[in-house]
Amino acid sequence: MLRRNLMLAAAFGAALFSGAAYAADPVSIVYIPKNTGNPYFDSIIKGFEDGCKKLGCEFTTVAPASAEATSQIPFVTAQIQRGVNVVAISPNSPDALNQVFDRARAKGTLILSVNSDLPGNETHRDAAILPVDFTKTGPSQVELLGKQIGYEGEIAILSATTDAPDQNVWIAAMKDSLEKDPKYAKMKLVTIAYGDDDPQKSTTETEALLANYPNLKGIISPTTVGVAAAAQVVETAKKADQVKVVGLGTPNQMRRFIENGTVEAFQLWSPYNQGLLAAHFAVGVKDGSIKNEAGTVFEVEGLGKVTVDENSVIKTQADLTTFDKANIADFNF
Amino acid sequence: MNSIDKSPVASTTPRIVVREAAAPRPRWQVLLIRPETVTLLLLVLATIVASHLSPFFADLGFILESSTYYIEFAIVALVLTLVIISGEIDLSPAAQMALSACLFGTAFKAGLPMPVAMGVSLLAGLVMGAFNGFLVTVLRLPSIIVTIGTLILYRGLAQVLAGDKSIGGFPGWFVGIDYRMVGIVPVPVLVFVAASLLLGLFLGITIYGRQIYQIGTSEIAAIHAGIRVRRIKMGLFIASGITSSIAGLMVASRLGSVRYDLASGAELTMVLIVMLGGTYIFGGRGSILGTFLAAWLLVIIATGMTVANIAINAQLTVMGLLLIVSIIATNAIYARSQR
């Protein structure tokens, strides 16, 4: 504690008197997730920690208790006061943080938006590190299920809430693929159910799907809560051969269903890699080895070559990672 | 009080409370053993601890800047202090802040000029406060239940109105009230200090202030003494509503946008401030000075722990313990020394 404070104080002093370029002290990075106690963000934190261990940066993480729009603001202010070099944040609001970000950047703090961007307010952050090209999520899920059911039969979607923006974008893309791609002509989307990201409601909704559509061949659930609940229902009903479940889930949640054969495959990206990439990018920008502008290519050990896209958006990986029996043992998050 | 009732000729002269039993306590003891003194001591202690926790804390500009995140709630807590002294409670101000701010945002987006949109917000605060007041004073429902109900209702309406999106794009002159400085003092802090002075004087030297204490001490006695209890309570709930909408506008200005979940959970922060300030939860006792000091205590504790990167669960534990300690201390002090 004391040591960390002293080092931060030293970094702060160095930044004041000699300018950041001269500072031989390590780059200090603080990551502010949406809220505490979420295993998804813990995995991002692990990526930051491992990245900083390798690169020699100082890493700290702090988070508010609730993921409410304004709860992160005092934390950002405190980090400016601490004089940290980089604030990486998974923002709870696309616009409530604009003012405090501007203040931080005016004092030379690099602001990185991690895991989600600030749509419409991109000018208030320096760069965004996003998991994957989200336009590919919907089509990729349709293909994953299609392959398992021989591109034929009735399918259903189990989503989160009716107004979740990311879910609705993906569902629209799924519908689009089903309509336009002749490969999927024999797949019929019968209904969209909403489990509200609540395990109990997702379970009930899945049970209703199985009861109402006896010919159902597959369920796509692009939400981590929904896909686990759907797999559980299918397992309990002993319908794993008849109804295929795919979706977006975390390996630790889905491991059991993969191992006992209830689920053949599901997809997600690696939150760990986002932390790792963000640490590399932050240190590179701060020491001048990476230019924060479109077209820059840099290398991250373990991730390969990474490109900075338009608007300083950096995607951790191009396609979703598919988890199945063959590779699930390699992942722990 | 019983001494008056026994006196047969008291009806023509002003009633004077004569305490016959014990001799008055020495003045220094009355001053020292007061909840506000405890709050002040905690404030000094917290400042010392925070300065030791982090070398970045002791910076007046930073503390004042950070205080703007809590000052909106503190302003509402000033009015809440009056409500609690009168023996009632209002748990809906945070939801009123959200609904009035969302109404403001919606009105602005619909193309109304800014002053009109702000007027809509203030009017909404008045109506929401009056609705609470109506349920409490006319239908005579317990305020704790009424305001839990309206807290959910107002928050729900805000969500219906604004949906899951934020409303922003306000003109530049409106955005960033917390960055407008007089010297190094942000404008919201000045508003808070001014409101504290005004309400402190109102409660301390006006006849209405006295009557609020009397209502909280014994409502029945207040009614018999000819105090217009229902009218005063109605006024307090309306004041709470209007103050909430002003606070909501300040948040809108600070963030540059409004959302339905603005200030969510802040009703607890407000009650925490009032309780830390030594106001008696059962009514009749308390002061604006206490609430004023408690607001700064909260600012110092929250800012000190955040800048020291102390984990949020530890922060919440400290806040919870403080609340319990302050309630116990307040109770103990009031049990020992009568006002």
Side-chain angles (χ1 to χ4, degrees):
Chain A
M1 185 76 204
L2 180 67
R3 209 185 124 237
R4 196 177 64 195
N5 284 340
L6 284 175
M7 294 192 76
L8 275 172
F12 188 60
L16 269 183
F17 294 116
S18 61
Y22 282 97
D25 303 286
V27 175
S28 52
I29 304 176
V30 171
Y31 172 56
I32 307 176
K34 280 179 188 283
N35 56 346
T36 50
N38 186 330
Y40 182 85
F41 295 111
D42 291 346
S43 187
I44 295 183
I45 291 168
K46 189 80 176 45
F48 268 110
E49 283 171 350
D50 288 359
C52 271
K53 217 176 278 170
K54 202 165 283 171
L55 299 162
C57 38
E58 282 285 332
F59 176 72
T60 318
T61 177
V62 284
S66 67
E68 168 228 337
T70 58
S71 57
Q72 290 170 320
I73 298 176
F75 288 86
V76 179
T77 307
Q79 297 316 320
I80 307 173
Q81 175 72 5
R82 295 183 70 99
V84 300
N85 304 124
V86 181
V87 170
I89 185 167
S90 297
N92 280 332
S93 159
D95 52 16
L97 293 145
N98 289 354
Q99 328 278 337
V100 76
F101 283 170
D102 290 349
R103 272 215 146 174
R105 295 175 67 206
K107 296 202 173 171
T109 313
L110 189 75
I111 298 284
L112 300 182
S113 172
V114 176
N115 193 56
S116 53
D117 205 350
L118 309 166
N121 296 289
E122 287 88 350
T123 50
H124 297 278
R125 49 82 176 146
D126 289 291
I129 283 120
L130 303 183
V132 73
D133 185 352
F134 281 127
T135 59
K136 293 184 179 170
T137 307
S140 172
Q141 292 265 294
V142 171
E143 172 59 27
L144 187 68
L145 181 62
K147 209 162 49 186
Q148 292 180 27
I149 62 174
Y151 302 103
E152 203 175 327
E154 294 183 354
I155 64 167
I157 294 172
L158 175 65
S159 178
T161 54
T162 48
D163 52 2
D166 50 355
Q167 297 280 322
N168 288 340
V169 168
W170 298 334
I171 291 172
M174 287 179 202
K175 283 182 176 164
D176 194 54
S177 307
L178 288 169
E179 270 169 32
K180 295 201 175 127
D181 196 332
K183 191 175 173 187
Y184 307 128
K186 287 182 180 166
M187 284 167 71
K188 184 170 170 254
L189 177 62
V190 288
T191 189
I192 300 169
Y194 295 93
D196 292 351
D197 264 351
D198 172 63
Q200 189 53 50
K201 177 140 196 281
S202 303
T203 303
T204 317
E205 291 290 329
T206 314
E207 281 164 352
L209 286 180
L210 295 186
N212 295 342
Y213 302 96
N215 294 326
L216 199 67
K217 286 276 177 289
I219 298 171
I220 303 176
S221 183
T223 151
T224 55
V225 176
V227 71
Q232 183 64 58
V233 170
V234 168
E235 184 189 26
T236 311
K238 299 200 166 57
K239 287 191 171 170
D241 296 332
Q242 199 183 321
V243 183
K244 300 294 177 192
V245 175
V246 303
L248 301 178
T250 63
N252 284 350
Q253 251 180 329
M254 301 297 291
R255 195 175 310 279
R256 194 165 70 79
F257 303 114
I258 290 284
E259 280 167 1
N260 69 20
T262 308
V263 174
E264 271 180 41
F266 62 95
Q267 296 177 317
L268 199 68
W269 46 84
S270 162
Y272 174 88
N273 287 347
Q274 291 183 63
L276 192 66
L277 172 60
H280 273 83
F281 181 72
V283 172
V285 170
K286 277 292 168 191
D287 71 15
S289 64
I290 298 175
K291 275 208 181 73
N292 180 18
E293 56 187 39
T296 303
V297 177
F298 60 99
E299 181 128 14
V300 177
E301 210 181 308
L303 295 179
K305 283 199 175 3
V306 180
T307 314
V308 181
D309 294 341
E310 278 307 311
N311 233 343
S312 288
V313 169
I314 304 163
K315 288 173 194 122
T316 321
Q317 54 192 104
D319 296 304
L320 291 169
T321 306
T322 301
F323 302 97
D324 54 23
K325 242 182 191 143
N327 69 357
I328 194 158
D330 304 336
F331 297 92
N332 182 23
F333 67 91
Chain B
M1 200 171 285
N2 46 5
S3 61
I4 297 169
D5 294 340
K6 283 176 198 155
S7 146
V9 287
S11 54
T12 51
T13 51
R15 296 184 168 191
I16 300 162
V17 177
V18 180
R19 190 172 285 136
E20 296 166 335
R25 286 164 175 279
R27 195 172 175 78
W28 65 267
Q29 210 176 349
V30 174
L31 278 178
L32 202 64
I33 308 177
R34 284 191 62 85
E36 292 88 351
T37 318
V38 177
T39 313
L40 182 64
L41 288 177
L42 282 174
L43 181 58
V44 173
L45 182 73
T47 311
I48 295 169
V49 171
S51 306
H52 279 88
L53 272 180
S54 168
F56 303 106
F57 173 77
D59 172 347
L60 192 59
F62 166 64
I63 294 171
L64 285 173
E65 186 192 339
S66 298
S67 74
T68 56
Y69 307 135
Y70 309 96
I71 232 76
E72 294 128 359
F73 306 145
I75 290 171
V76 182
L78 293 172
V79 180
L80 185 61
T81 308
L82 305 193
V83 175
I84 293 180
I85 291 174
S86 83
E88 301 289 346
I89 195 161
D90 188 353
L91 292 174
S92 67
Q96 296 185 28
M97 283 169 74
L99 180 51
S100 56
C102 286
L103 276 165
F104 159 75
T106 313
F108 169 74
K109 222 179 176 185
L112 293 179
M114 283 296 280
V116 178
M118 289 162 84
V120 166
S121 163
L122 294 177
L123 186 69
L126 189 146
V127 171
M128 286 186 281
F131 183 59
N132 280 338
F134 171 78
L135 293 176
V136 172
T137 62
V138 180
L139 300 188
R140 296 178 184 273
L141 301 170
S143 56
I144 184 154
I145 303 301
V146 164
T147 54
I148 286 177
T150 51
L151 129 74
I152 300 167
L153 172 70
Y154 296 155
R155 182 74 68 182
L157 287 175
Q159 191 170 7
V160 168
L161 196 66
D164 215 23
K165 294 190 177 63
S166 61
I167 305 170
F170 306 128
W173 62 265
F174 178 77
V175 177
I177 190 173
D178 54 325
Y179 293 163
R180 306 280 152 73
M181 304 281 181
V182 176
I184 59 160
V185 186
V187 169
V189 176
L190 289 179
V191 174
F192 174 58
V193 172
S196 302
L197 282 173
L198 280 177
L199 281 177
L201 290 177
F202 173 77
L203 190 62
I205 65 172
T206 68
I207 182 80
Y208 293 110
R210 292 286 101 197
Q211 290 180 340
I212 289 170
Y213 279 112
Q214 280 167 337
I215 295 169
T217 310
S218 169
E219 188 168 335
I220 308 239
I223 292 170
H224 285 302
I227 295 172
R228 294 168 179 262
V229 171
R230 297 206 289 179
R231 186 177 291 184
I232 288 180
K233 282 190 176 174
M234 188 68 170
L236 287 177
F237 277 105
I238 291 177
S240 172
I242 293 177
T243 313
S244 301
S245 78
I246 293 172
L249 286 175
M250 287 170 69
V251 179
S253 165
R254 178 163 65 82
L255 300 177
S257 66
V258 297
R259 266 175 66 91
Y260 82 92
D261 68 352
L262 175 153
S264 66
E267 50 278 339
L268 296 181
T269 312
M270 296 164 189
V271 174
L272 174 76
I273 294 174
V274 180
M275 294 293 107
L276 277 179
T279 296
Y280 192 48
I281 188 69
F282 299 113
R285 290 152 182 171
S287 70
I288 292 293
L289 175 66
T291 304
F292 179 80
L293 292 173
W296 291 107
L297 176 60
L298 177 79
V299 166
I300 297 293
I301 292 173
T303 307
M305 289 197 288
T306 306
V307 81
N309 277 353
I310 288 175
I312 192 74
N313 42 19
Q315 294 199 20
L316 293 175
T317 310
V318 171
M319 294 287 183
L321 283 174
L322 252 172
L323 180 58
I324 290 169
V325 167
S326 76
I327 289 175
I328 292 174
T330 305
N331 261 313
I333 289 168
Y334 284 138
R336 278 164 51 97
S337 65
Q338 298 292 317
R339 263 186 70 91

